[in-house]
Amino acid sequence: MNFLRYILFPIVPIYYLVTWLRNKLYDFGIKKSKSYGLPVICVGNLSVGGTGKTPMIEYLINLLKNDYLVATLSRGYKRKTVGFQLANEGSTVESIGDEPFQFYNKFKNKVYVAVDTDRNNGIKQLRSMTNPPEIILLDDAFQHRKVKAGFNILLTTYNNPYYKDIVLPTGNLREPRSGAKRAHIIMVTKCPKDLHESEKKTILQQINPEINQQVFFSSISYSNNVVSANTTRSIEELGEFTLVTGIANASPLVGFLNGKGLKFEHLHFKDHHEFSKQDILELNKRALIVTTEKDFMRLKQYRSLKNKLFYLPISMDVNDEIKINKLIQDFLKSRN
């Protein structure tokens, strides 16, 4: 906790009360939530910062894309456009945001990727298409209660779980911990690969899920290969390189690379960093650059970096994949 957050502690009860009251107004139907006839799955968190929403959305896309026409709907954080935008061949990070741009680049022939700060309008626009989606995945919309999703997946990290945190501005929670009760699935993300069953049991006791909730544990797997615009190479073949990250928490990635005994310099920027001309001039001085897939979406537009820029793919491994897949499929069958 930095000093500024510490001195802002007197504001915590006010923030708590405002967000708690807002949720109660929705719970009691005073403020209205809109439901939809098609399945809407929301992925979100209680905390600010990275909890693994992008890998979770990609997990769901891979699970569903062969059986359903899927759309993702995000707000498009830090984009330069307004209103509803449907990703197409002319889309850029500036027009739809880095994470939606990543979804589009990876799945563009299989899913719709849309952005709109007004999720209800975004859903309306998607449903008005000639060939509308059968499922909509709401990215980072747990607090967007104007839409009542049929299925809520709440993410919380192993190292910074919501049940040990408090609300902003001193803590990192966007709303009180009681908001977790709206979730159907609670996913503890970024767990160690060797997480012991006894520790899982302790975490379950701390979460104390409702009778209708299921708790799962997941970890991040890093590829042994890095990918550029033109080729794929083993990361061990690179030699020394510069690691460039603009994500909320780069520690797991740094730990993975250190664990492989690789030599690298780490340039760490804030989450969703917009690279300036000066940043690019500095990066041009580096011989080889490894970055995250999200940052690659921002950097690949610079031709001077084309032959030296690689990203390290990641994926989400869920401890009980069969069970979580069945829960999601059962939800979809109940809605169809």
mmCIF file of all heavy atoms in Angstrom, residues 33-81:
data_model
loop_
_atom_site.group_PDB
_atom_site.id
_atom_site.type_symbol
_atom_site.label_atom_id
_atom_site.label_comp_id
_atom_site.label_asym_id
_atom_site.label_seq_id
_atom_site.Cartn_x
_atom_site.Cartn_y
_atom_site.Cartn_z
ATOM 1 N N SER A 33 -32.101 -3.981 -14.663
ATOM 2 C CA SER A 33 -31.169 -4.780 -15.460
ATOM 3 C C SER A 33 -31.953 -5.431 -16.588
ATOM 4 O O SER A 33 -33.067 -5.927 -16.375
ATOM 5 C CB SER A 33 -30.519 -5.878 -14.613
ATOM 6 O OG SER A 33 -29.733 -5.342 -13.583
ATOM 7 N N LYS A 34 -31.373 -5.442 -17.769
ATOM 8 C CA LYS A 34 -32.064 -6.015 -18.933
ATOM 9 C C LYS A 34 -31.551 -7.425 -19.204
ATOM 10 O O LYS A 34 -30.340 -7.658 -19.284
ATOM 11 C CB LYS A 34 -31.849 -5.127 -20.164
ATOM 12 C CG LYS A 34 -32.620 -5.586 -21.397
ATOM 13 C CD LYS A 34 -32.508 -4.588 -22.514
ATOM 14 C CE LYS A 34 -33.196 -5.058 -23.799
ATOM 15 N NZ LYS A 34 -34.626 -5.326 -23.599
ATOM 16 N N SER A 35 -32.466 -8.362 -19.337
ATOM 17 C CA SER A 35 -32.127 -9.737 -19.696
ATOM 18 C C SER A 35 -32.367 -9.939 -21.183
ATOM 19 O O SER A 35 -33.141 -9.199 -21.822
ATOM 20 C CB SER A 35 -32.973 -10.727 -18.882
ATOM 21 O OG SER A 35 -32.744 -10.577 -17.509
ATOM 22 N N TYR A 36 -31.753 -10.990 -21.728
ATOM 23 C CA TYR A 36 -31.859 -11.248 -23.172
ATOM 24 C C TYR A 36 -32.235 -12.695 -23.433
ATOM 25 O O TYR A 36 -31.985 -13.583 -22.611
ATOM 26 C CB TYR A 36 -30.540 -10.900 -23.861
ATOM 27 C CG TYR A 36 -30.278 -9.417 -23.865
ATOM 28 C CD1 TYR A 36 -29.588 -8.813 -22.823
ATOM 29 C CD2 TYR A 36 -30.761 -8.601 -24.882
ATOM 30 C CE1 TYR A 36 -29.357 -7.439 -22.805
ATOM 31 C CE2 TYR A 36 -30.555 -7.236 -24.875
ATOM 32 C CZ TYR A 36 -29.849 -6.665 -23.836
ATOM 33 O OH TYR A 36 -29.650 -5.299 -23.821
ATOM 34 N N GLY A 37 -32.821 -12.912 -24.594
ATOM 35 C CA GLY A 37 -33.275 -14.239 -24.964
ATOM 36 C C GLY A 37 -32.161 -15.171 -25.381
ATOM 37 O O GLY A 37 -32.344 -16.385 -25.401
ATOM 38 N N LEU A 38 -30.998 -14.619 -25.721
ATOM 39 C CA LEU A 38 -29.877 -15.482 -26.092
ATOM 40 C C LEU A 38 -28.913 -15.573 -24.915
ATOM 41 O O LEU A 38 -28.908 -14.717 -24.032
ATOM 42 C CB LEU A 38 -29.162 -14.946 -27.324
ATOM 43 C CG LEU A 38 -28.130 -13.818 -27.169
ATOM 44 C CD1 LEU A 38 -27.357 -13.643 -28.462
ATOM 45 C CD2 LEU A 38 -28.754 -12.521 -26.734
ATOM 46 N N PRO A 39 -28.080 -16.613 -24.862
ATOM 47 C CA PRO A 39 -27.150 -16.777 -23.739
ATOM 48 C C PRO A 39 -26.107 -15.660 -23.700
ATOM 49 O O PRO A 39 -25.458 -15.364 -24.706
ATOM 50 C CB PRO A 39 -26.486 -18.130 -24.014
ATOM 51 C CG PRO A 39 -27.397 -18.839 -24.949
ATOM 52 C CD PRO A 39 -28.036 -17.770 -25.788
ATOM 53 N N VAL A 40 -25.965 -15.034 -22.537
ATOM 54 C CA VAL A 40 -24.946 -14.007 -22.308
ATOM 55 C C VAL A 40 -24.086 -14.464 -21.132
ATOM 56 O O VAL A 40 -24.608 -14.692 -20.035
ATOM 57 C CB VAL A 40 -25.577 -12.638 -22.001
ATOM 58 C CG1 VAL A 40 -24.495 -11.612 -21.682
ATOM 59 C CG2 VAL A 40 -26.432 -12.163 -23.178
ATOM 60 N N ILE A 41 -22.803 -14.619 -21.367
ATOM 61 C CA ILE A 41 -21.851 -15.043 -20.337
ATOM 62 C C ILE A 41 -20.936 -13.867 -20.021
ATOM 63 O O ILE A 41 -20.307 -13.313 -20.915
ATOM 64 C CB ILE A 41 -21.014 -16.258 -20.795
ATOM 65 C CG1 ILE A 41 -21.924 -17.450 -21.105
ATOM 66 C CG2 ILE A 41 -19.984 -16.632 -19.735
ATOM 67 C CD1 ILE A 41 -21.188 -18.664 -21.662
ATOM 68 N N CYS A 42 -20.887 -13.495 -18.765
ATOM 69 C CA CYS A 42 -20.059 -12.371 -18.331
ATOM 70 C C CYS A 42 -18.792 -12.880 -17.650
ATOM 71 O O CYS A 42 -18.853 -13.764 -16.792
ATOM 72 C CB CYS A 42 -20.850 -11.488 -17.374
ATOM 73 S SG CYS A 42 -19.868 -10.228 -16.543
ATOM 74 N N VAL A 43 -17.657 -12.318 -18.025
ATOM 75 C CA VAL A 43 -16.371 -12.596 -17.377
ATOM 76 C C VAL A 43 -15.882 -11.296 -16.756
ATOM 77 O O VAL A 43 -15.793 -10.267 -17.435
ATOM 78 C CB VAL A 43 -15.330 -13.125 -18.384
ATOM 79 C CG1 VAL A 43 -13.963 -13.275 -17.719
ATOM 80 C CG2 VAL A 43 -15.785 -14.458 -18.969
ATOM 81 N N GLY A 44 -15.607 -11.312 -15.466
ATOM 82 C CA GLY A 44 -15.164 -10.085 -14.815
ATOM 83 C C GLY A 44 -14.456 -10.357 -13.508
ATOM 84 O O GLY A 44 -14.079 -11.485 -13.195
ATOM 85 N N ASN A 45 -14.298 -9.310 -12.718
ATOM 86 C CA ASN A 45 -13.613 -9.431 -11.440
ATOM 87 C C ASN A 45 -14.124 -8.365 -10.484
ATOM 88 O O ASN A 45 -14.861 -7.463 -10.868
ATOM 89 C CB ASN A 45 -12.089 -9.315 -11.622
ATOM 90 C CG ASN A 45 -11.682 -8.097 -12.428
ATOM 91 O OD1 ASN A 45 -12.419 -7.118 -12.531
ATOM 92 N ND2 ASN A 45 -10.498 -8.144 -13.013
ATOM 93 N N LEU A 46 -13.718 -8.475 -9.231
ATOM 94 C CA LEU A 46 -13.999 -7.429 -8.259
ATOM 95 C C LEU A 46 -12.851 -6.443 -8.171
ATOM 96 O O LEU A 46 -13.032 -5.302 -7.754
ATOM 97 C CB LEU A 46 -14.250 -8.030 -6.865
ATOM 98 C CG LEU A 46 -15.481 -8.924 -6.685
ATOM 99 C CD1 LEU A 46 -15.600 -9.350 -5.224
ATOM 100 C CD2 LEU A 46 -16.746 -8.238 -7.136
ATOM 101 N N SER A 47 -11.651 -6.886 -8.565
ATOM 102 C CA SER A 47 -10.438 -6.088 -8.381
ATOM 103 C C SER A 47 -10.077 -5.315 -9.634
ATOM 104 O O SER A 47 -10.375 -5.734 -10.754
ATOM 105 C CB SER A 47 -9.262 -6.998 -8.022
ATOM 106 O OG SER A 47 -9.557 -7.802 -6.913
ATOM 107 N N VAL A 48 -9.399 -4.190 -9.435
ATOM 108 C CA VAL A 48 -8.739 -3.537 -10.562
ATOM 109 C C VAL A 48 -7.462 -4.322 -10.859
ATOM 110 O O VAL A 48 -6.952 -5.042 -10.010
ATOM 111 C CB VAL A 48 -8.400 -2.062 -10.241
ATOM 112 C CG1 VAL A 48 -9.657 -1.267 -10.011
ATOM 113 C CG2 VAL A 48 -7.482 -1.962 -9.022
ATOM 114 N N GLY A 49 -6.945 -4.177 -12.067
ATOM 115 C CA GLY A 49 -5.720 -4.890 -12.411
ATOM 116 C C GLY A 49 -6.010 -6.225 -13.061
ATOM 117 O O GLY A 49 -7.155 -6.665 -13.189
ATOM 118 N N GLY A 50 -4.953 -6.892 -13.477
ATOM 119 C CA GLY A 50 -5.083 -8.106 -14.269
ATOM 120 C C GLY A 50 -5.410 -9.335 -13.439
ATOM 121 O O GLY A 50 -4.680 -9.702 -12.524
ATOM 122 N N THR A 51 -6.525 -9.970 -13.764
ATOM 123 C CA THR A 51 -6.881 -11.233 -13.116
ATOM 124 C C THR A 51 -6.933 -12.388 -14.112
ATOM 125 O O THR A 51 -7.226 -13.513 -13.723
ATOM 126 C CB THR A 51 -8.255 -11.119 -12.417
ATOM 127 O OG1 THR A 51 -9.223 -10.660 -13.370
ATOM 128 C CG2 THR A 51 -8.195 -10.165 -11.240
ATOM 129 N N GLY A 52 -6.665 -12.100 -15.388
ATOM 130 C CA GLY A 52 -6.671 -13.159 -16.386
ATOM 131 C C GLY A 52 -7.940 -13.217 -17.215
ATOM 132 O O GLY A 52 -8.332 -14.277 -17.708
ATOM 133 N N LYS A 53 -8.605 -12.062 -17.397
ATOM 134 C CA LYS A 53 -9.851 -12.052 -18.168
ATOM 135 C C LYS A 53 -9.621 -12.440 -19.625
ATOM 136 O O LYS A 53 -10.429 -13.166 -20.217
ATOM 137 C CB LYS A 53 -10.512 -10.670 -18.091
ATOM 138 C CG LYS A 53 -11.005 -10.284 -16.700
ATOM 139 C CD LYS A 53 -11.735 -8.959 -16.707
ATOM 140 C CE LYS A 53 -10.836 -7.795 -17.065
ATOM 141 N NZ LYS A 53 -9.784 -7.549 -16.045
ATOM 142 N N THR A 54 -8.536 -11.954 -20.223
ATOM 143 C CA THR A 54 -8.290 -12.263 -21.637
ATOM 144 C C THR A 54 -8.083 -13.752 -21.865
ATOM 145 O O THR A 54 -8.720 -14.335 -22.756
ATOM 146 C CB THR A 54 -7.096 -11.443 -22.160
ATOM 147 O OG1 THR A 54 -7.397 -10.046 -22.035
ATOM 148 C CG2 THR A 54 -6.814 -11.758 -23.622
ATOM 149 N N PRO A 55 -7.223 -14.446 -21.090
ATOM 150 C CA PRO A 55 -7.120 -15.902 -21.261
ATOM 151 C C PRO A 55 -8.440 -16.628 -21.018
ATOM 152 O O PRO A 55 -8.723 -17.637 -21.671
ATOM 153 C CB PRO A 55 -6.065 -16.310 -20.231
ATOM 154 C CG PRO A 55 -5.248 -15.086 -20.006
ATOM 155 C CD PRO A 55 -6.215 -13.945 -20.137
ATOM 156 N N MET A 56 -9.270 -16.115 -20.089
ATOM 157 C CA MET A 56 -10.549 -16.757 -19.817
ATOM 158 C C MET A 56 -11.495 -16.604 -21.004
ATOM 159 O O MET A 56 -12.179 -17.565 -21.380
ATOM 160 C CB MET A 56 -11.174 -16.138 -18.561
ATOM 161 C CG MET A 56 -12.458 -16.837 -18.087
ATOM 162 S SD MET A 56 -12.152 -18.435 -17.319
ATOM 163 C CE MET A 56 -13.145 -19.527 -18.368
ATOM 164 N N ILE A 57 -11.555 -15.416 -21.582
ATOM 165 C CA ILE A 57 -12.388 -15.215 -22.773
ATOM 166 C C ILE A 57 -11.913 -16.126 -23.904
ATOM 167 O O ILE A 57 -12.730 -16.759 -24.597
ATOM 168 C CB ILE A 57 -12.357 -13.740 -23.224
ATOM 169 C CG1 ILE A 57 -13.099 -12.840 -22.227
ATOM 170 C CG2 ILE A 57 -12.956 -13.582 -24.626
ATOM 171 C CD1 ILE A 57 -14.605 -12.981 -22.243
ATOM 172 N N GLU A 58 -10.610 -16.224 -24.089
ATOM 173 C CA GLU A 58 -10.084 -17.090 -25.152
ATOM 174 C C GLU A 58 -10.373 -18.559 -24.857
ATOM 175 O O GLU A 58 -10.626 -19.340 -25.784
ATOM 176 C CB GLU A 58 -8.591 -16.839 -25.327
ATOM 177 C CG GLU A 58 -8.298 -15.452 -25.890
ATOM 178 C CD GLU A 58 -6.828 -15.239 -26.243
ATOM 179 O OE1 GLU A 58 -6.004 -16.141 -25.966
ATOM 180 O OE2 GLU A 58 -6.502 -14.172 -26.809
ATOM 181 N N TYR A 59 -10.355 -18.934 -23.596
ATOM 182 C CA TYR A 59 -10.725 -20.307 -23.214
ATOM 183 C C TYR A 59 -12.166 -20.587 -23.644
ATOM 184 O O TYR A 59 -12.475 -21.642 -24.218
ATOM 185 C CB TYR A 59 -10.568 -20.469 -21.700
ATOM 186 C CG TYR A 59 -10.942 -21.834 -21.173
ATOM 187 C CD1 TYR A 59 -9.980 -22.825 -21.004
ATOM 188 C CD2 TYR A 59 -12.269 -22.144 -20.835
ATOM 189 C CE1 TYR A 59 -10.326 -24.084 -20.519
ATOM 190 C CE2 TYR A 59 -12.618 -23.394 -20.358
ATOM 191 C CZ TYR A 59 -11.638 -24.368 -20.199
ATOM 192 O OH TYR A 59 -11.983 -25.611 -19.738
ATOM 193 N N LEU A 60 -13.069 -19.638 -23.363
ATOM 194 C CA LEU A 60 -14.472 -19.819 -23.726
ATOM 195 C C LEU A 60 -14.665 -19.839 -25.236
ATOM 196 O O LEU A 60 -15.474 -20.628 -25.758
ATOM 197 C CB LEU A 60 -15.313 -18.695 -23.110
ATOM 198 C CG LEU A 60 -15.420 -18.701 -21.574
ATOM 199 C CD1 LEU A 60 -16.109 -17.430 -21.086
ATOM 200 C CD2 LEU A 60 -16.154 -19.934 -21.082
ATOM 201 N N ILE A 61 -13.949 -18.988 -25.944
ATOM 202 C CA ILE A 61 -14.055 -18.994 -27.407
ATOM 203 C C ILE A 61 -13.660 -20.354 -27.961
ATOM 204 O O ILE A 61 -14.359 -20.931 -28.803
ATOM 205 C CB ILE A 61 -13.182 -17.882 -28.019
ATOM 206 C CG1 ILE A 61 -13.741 -16.497 -27.669
ATOM 207 C CG2 ILE A 61 -13.115 -18.034 -29.544
ATOM 208 C CD1 ILE A 61 -12.839 -15.349 -28.082
ATOM 209 N N ASN A 62 -12.533 -20.877 -27.486
ATOM 210 C CA ASN A 62 -12.066 -22.184 -27.970
ATOM 211 C C ASN A 62 -13.041 -23.298 -27.623
ATOM 212 O O ASN A 62 -13.210 -24.250 -28.393
ATOM 213 C CB ASN A 62 -10.683 -22.493 -27.388
ATOM 214 C CG ASN A 62 -9.572 -21.746 -28.104
ATOM 215 O OD1 ASN A 62 -9.526 -21.700 -29.326
ATOM 216 N ND2 ASN A 62 -8.668 -21.146 -27.343
ATOM 217 N N LEU A 63 -13.709 -23.160 -26.471
ATOM 218 C CA LEU A 63 -14.694 -24.170 -26.073
ATOM 219 C C LEU A 63 -15.932 -24.146 -26.957
ATOM 220 O O LEU A 63 -16.502 -25.186 -27.280
ATOM 221 C CB LEU A 63 -15.087 -23.929 -24.607
ATOM 222 C CG LEU A 63 -16.234 -24.774 -24.051
ATOM 223 C CD1 LEU A 63 -15.843 -26.245 -23.992
ATOM 224 C CD2 LEU A 63 -16.639 -24.276 -22.659
ATOM 225 N N LEU A 64 -16.350 -22.952 -27.398
ATOM 226 C CA LEU A 64 -17.672 -22.788 -28.011
ATOM 227 C C LEU A 64 -17.673 -22.562 -29.517
ATOM 228 O O LEU A 64 -18.689 -22.791 -30.169
ATOM 229 C CB LEU A 64 -18.390 -21.613 -27.338
ATOM 230 C CG LEU A 64 -18.564 -21.703 -25.813
ATOM 231 C CD1 LEU A 64 -19.099 -20.389 -25.274
ATOM 232 C CD2 LEU A 64 -19.480 -22.859 -25.447
ATOM 233 N N LYS A 65 -16.568 -22.112 -30.085
ATOM 234 C CA LYS A 65 -16.580 -21.603 -31.458
ATOM 235 C C LYS A 65 -16.931 -22.644 -32.513
ATOM 236 O O LYS A 65 -17.413 -22.277 -33.600
ATOM 237 C CB LYS A 65 -15.231 -20.963 -31.808
ATOM 238 C CG LYS A 65 -14.036 -21.906 -31.770
ATOM 239 C CD LYS A 65 -12.744 -21.153 -32.044
ATOM 240 C CE LYS A 65 -11.509 -21.982 -31.828
ATOM 241 N NZ LYS A 65 -11.408 -23.196 -32.657
ATOM 242 N N ASN A 66 -16.728 -23.916 -32.236
ATOM 243 C CA ASN A 66 -17.029 -24.937 -33.244
ATOM 244 C C ASN A 66 -18.502 -25.340 -33.244
ATOM 245 O O ASN A 66 -18.964 -25.977 -34.191
ATOM 246 C CB ASN A 66 -16.153 -26.171 -33.020
ATOM 247 C CG ASN A 66 -14.688 -25.899 -33.299
ATOM 248 O OD1 ASN A 66 -14.350 -25.076 -34.152
ATOM 249 N ND2 ASN A 66 -13.813 -26.567 -32.572
ATOM 250 N N ASP A 67 -19.228 -24.984 -32.198
ATOM 251 C CA ASP A 67 -20.637 -25.385 -32.085
ATOM 252 C C ASP A 67 -21.617 -24.220 -32.133
ATOM 253 O O ASP A 67 -22.809 -24.426 -32.363
ATOM 254 C CB ASP A 67 -20.855 -26.149 -30.770
ATOM 255 C CG ASP A 67 -20.028 -27.419 -30.697
ATOM 256 O OD1 ASP A 67 -20.010 -28.163 -31.690
ATOM 257 O OD2 ASP A 67 -19.392 -27.657 -29.654
ATOM 258 N N TYR A 68 -21.111 -23.001 -31.896
ATOM 259 C CA TYR A 68 -21.980 -21.836 -31.853
ATOM 260 C C TYR A 68 -21.319 -20.666 -32.577
ATOM 261 O O TYR A 68 -20.093 -20.607 -32.698
ATOM 262 C CB TYR A 68 -22.242 -21.399 -30.400
ATOM 263 C CG TYR A 68 -22.883 -22.441 -29.528
ATOM 264 C CD1 TYR A 68 -22.094 -23.295 -28.753
ATOM 265 C CD2 TYR A 68 -24.270 -22.570 -29.448
ATOM 266 C CE1 TYR A 68 -22.675 -24.249 -27.926
ATOM 267 C CE2 TYR A 68 -24.857 -23.515 -28.627
ATOM 268 C CZ TYR A 68 -24.053 -24.362 -27.870
ATOM 269 O OH TYR A 68 -24.631 -25.301 -27.052
ATOM 270 N N LEU A 69 -22.150 -19.732 -33.021
ATOM 271 C CA LEU A 69 -21.638 -18.469 -33.535
ATOM 272 C C LEU A 69 -21.496 -17.528 -32.340
ATOM 273 O O LEU A 69 -22.483 -17.115 -31.738
ATOM 274 C CB LEU A 69 -22.595 -17.886 -34.578
ATOM 275 C CG LEU A 69 -22.162 -16.559 -35.228
ATOM 276 C CD1 LEU A 69 -20.757 -16.659 -35.824
ATOM 277 C CD2 LEU A 69 -23.159 -16.159 -36.308
ATOM 278 N N VAL A 70 -20.253 -17.208 -32.001
ATOM 279 C CA VAL A 70 -19.935 -16.493 -30.763
ATOM 280 C C VAL A 70 -19.557 -15.045 -31.075
ATOM 281 O O VAL A 70 -18.909 -14.758 -32.086
ATOM 282 C CB VAL A 70 -18.767 -17.188 -30.026
ATOM 283 C CG1 VAL A 70 -18.381 -16.423 -28.757
ATOM 284 C CG2 VAL A 70 -19.123 -18.636 -29.700
ATOM 285 N N ALA A 71 -19.925 -14.146 -30.180
ATOM 286 C CA ALA A 71 -19.473 -12.748 -30.241
ATOM 287 C C ALA A 71 -18.854 -12.377 -28.901
ATOM 288 O O ALA A 71 -19.341 -12.794 -27.846
ATOM 289 C CB ALA A 71 -20.618 -11.805 -30.562
ATOM 290 N N THR A 72 -17.772 -11.614 -28.944
ATOM 291 C CA THR A 72 -17.248 -10.996 -27.731
ATOM 292 C C THR A 72 -17.635 -9.525 -27.748
ATOM 293 O O THR A 72 -17.628 -8.884 -28.796
ATOM 294 C CB THR A 72 -15.718 -11.117 -27.629
ATOM 295 O OG1 THR A 72 -15.093 -10.305 -28.632
ATOM 296 C CG2 THR A 72 -15.275 -12.561 -27.798
ATOM 297 N N LEU A 73 -17.969 -8.996 -26.581
ATOM 298 C CA LEU A 73 -18.329 -7.581 -26.464
ATOM 299 C C LEU A 73 -17.544 -6.975 -25.315
ATOM 300 O O LEU A 73 -17.704 -7.378 -24.154
ATOM 301 C CB LEU A 73 -19.830 -7.420 -26.225
ATOM 302 C CG LEU A 73 -20.352 -5.993 -26.071
ATOM 303 C CD1 LEU A 73 -20.040 -5.154 -27.307
ATOM 304 C CD2 LEU A 73 -21.853 -5.993 -25.781
ATOM 305 N N SER A 74 -16.664 -6.035 -25.639
ATOM 306 C CA SER A 74 -15.834 -5.344 -24.662
ATOM 307 C C SER A 74 -16.134 -3.858 -24.724
ATOM 308 O O SER A 74 -16.779 -3.372 -25.660
ATOM 309 C CB SER A 74 -14.345 -5.575 -24.950
ATOM 310 O OG SER A 74 -14.053 -6.939 -25.185
ATOM 311 N N ARG A 75 -15.626 -3.106 -23.761
ATOM 312 C CA ARG A 75 -15.793 -1.646 -23.839
ATOM 313 C C ARG A 75 -14.757 -1.028 -24.772
ATOM 314 O O ARG A 75 -14.941 0.076 -25.265
ATOM 315 C CB ARG A 75 -15.716 -1.005 -22.465
ATOM 316 C CG ARG A 75 -14.386 -1.193 -21.744
ATOM 317 C CD ARG A 75 -14.340 -0.373 -20.474
ATOM 318 N NE ARG A 75 -13.187 -0.718 -19.659
ATOM 319 C CZ ARG A 75 -12.696 0.057 -18.702
ATOM 320 N NH1 ARG A 75 -13.261 1.226 -18.455
ATOM 321 N NH2 ARG A 75 -11.667 -0.316 -17.992
ATOM 322 N N GLY A 76 -13.631 -1.729 -25.003
ATOM 323 C CA GLY A 76 -12.585 -1.182 -25.865
ATOM 324 C C GLY A 76 -11.755 -0.142 -25.138
ATOM 325 O O GLY A 76 -11.662 1.009 -25.572
ATOM 326 N N TYR A 77 -11.147 -0.552 -24.052
ATOM 327 C CA TYR A 77 -10.416 0.369 -23.183
ATOM 328 C C TYR A 77 -9.312 1.103 -23.945
ATOM 329 O O TYR A 77 -8.535 0.499 -24.665
ATOM 330 C CB TYR A 77 -9.811 -0.420 -22.018
ATOM 331 C CG TYR A 77 -9.108 0.421 -20.984
ATOM 332 C CD1 TYR A 77 -9.794 1.382 -20.250
ATOM 333 C CD2 TYR A 77 -7.757 0.250 -20.743
ATOM 334 C CE1 TYR A 77 -9.163 2.153 -19.297
ATOM 335 C CE2 TYR A 77 -7.099 1.017 -19.789
ATOM 336 C CZ TYR A 77 -7.807 1.964 -19.067
ATOM 337 O OH TYR A 77 -7.164 2.731 -18.128
ATOM 338 N N LYS A 78 -9.275 2.428 -23.798
ATOM 339 C CA LYS A 78 -8.284 3.330 -24.401
ATOM 340 C C LYS A 78 -8.364 3.418 -25.923
ATOM 341 O O LYS A 78 -7.434 3.887 -26.571
ATOM 342 C CB LYS A 78 -6.859 2.946 -23.976
ATOM 343 C CG LYS A 78 -6.537 3.376 -22.553
ATOM 344 C CD LYS A 78 -5.033 3.334 -22.289
ATOM 345 C CE LYS A 78 -4.707 3.940 -20.946
ATOM 346 N NZ LYS A 78 -3.256 3.981 -20.701
ATOM 347 N N ARG A 79 -9.465 2.989 -26.522
ATOM 348 C CA ARG A 79 -9.606 3.164 -27.968
ATOM 349 C C ARG A 79 -9.867 4.632 -28.289
ATOM 350 O O ARG A 79 -10.288 5.410 -27.420
ATOM 351 C CB ARG A 79 -10.724 2.281 -28.511
ATOM 352 C CG ARG A 79 -12.116 2.617 -27.976
ATOM 353 C CD ARG A 79 -13.120 1.569 -28.404
ATOM 354 N NE ARG A 79 -14.413 1.717 -27.750
ATOM 355 C CZ ARG A 79 -15.529 2.060 -28.350
ATOM 356 N NH1 ARG A 79 -15.529 2.351 -29.649
ATOM 357 N NH2 ARG A 79 -16.659 2.139 -27.689
ATOM 358 N N LYS A 80 -9.672 4.996 -29.550
ATOM 359 C CA LYS A 80 -9.838 6.387 -29.975
ATOM 360 C C LYS A 80 -11.189 6.630 -30.642
ATOM 361 O O LYS A 80 -11.448 7.728 -31.138
ATOM 362 C CB LYS A 80 -8.726 6.767 -30.960
ATOM 363 C CG LYS A 80 -7.308 6.501 -30.457
ATOM 364 C CD LYS A 80 -6.977 7.278 -29.208
ATOM 365 C CE LYS A 80 -5.525 7.046 -28.790
ATOM 366 N NZ LYS A 80 -5.210 7.707 -27.514
ATOM 367 N N THR A 81 -12.042 5.633 -30.652
ATOM 368 C CA THR A 81 -13.356 5.755 -31.278
ATOM 369 C C THR A 81 -14.433 5.797 -30.206
ATOM 370 O O THR A 81 -14.166 5.556 -29.022
ATOM 371 C CB THR A 81 -13.615 4.567 -32.218
ATOM 372 O OG1 THR A 81 -13.489 3.342 -31.461
ATOM 373 C CG2 THR A 81 -12.633 4.550 -33.371
#
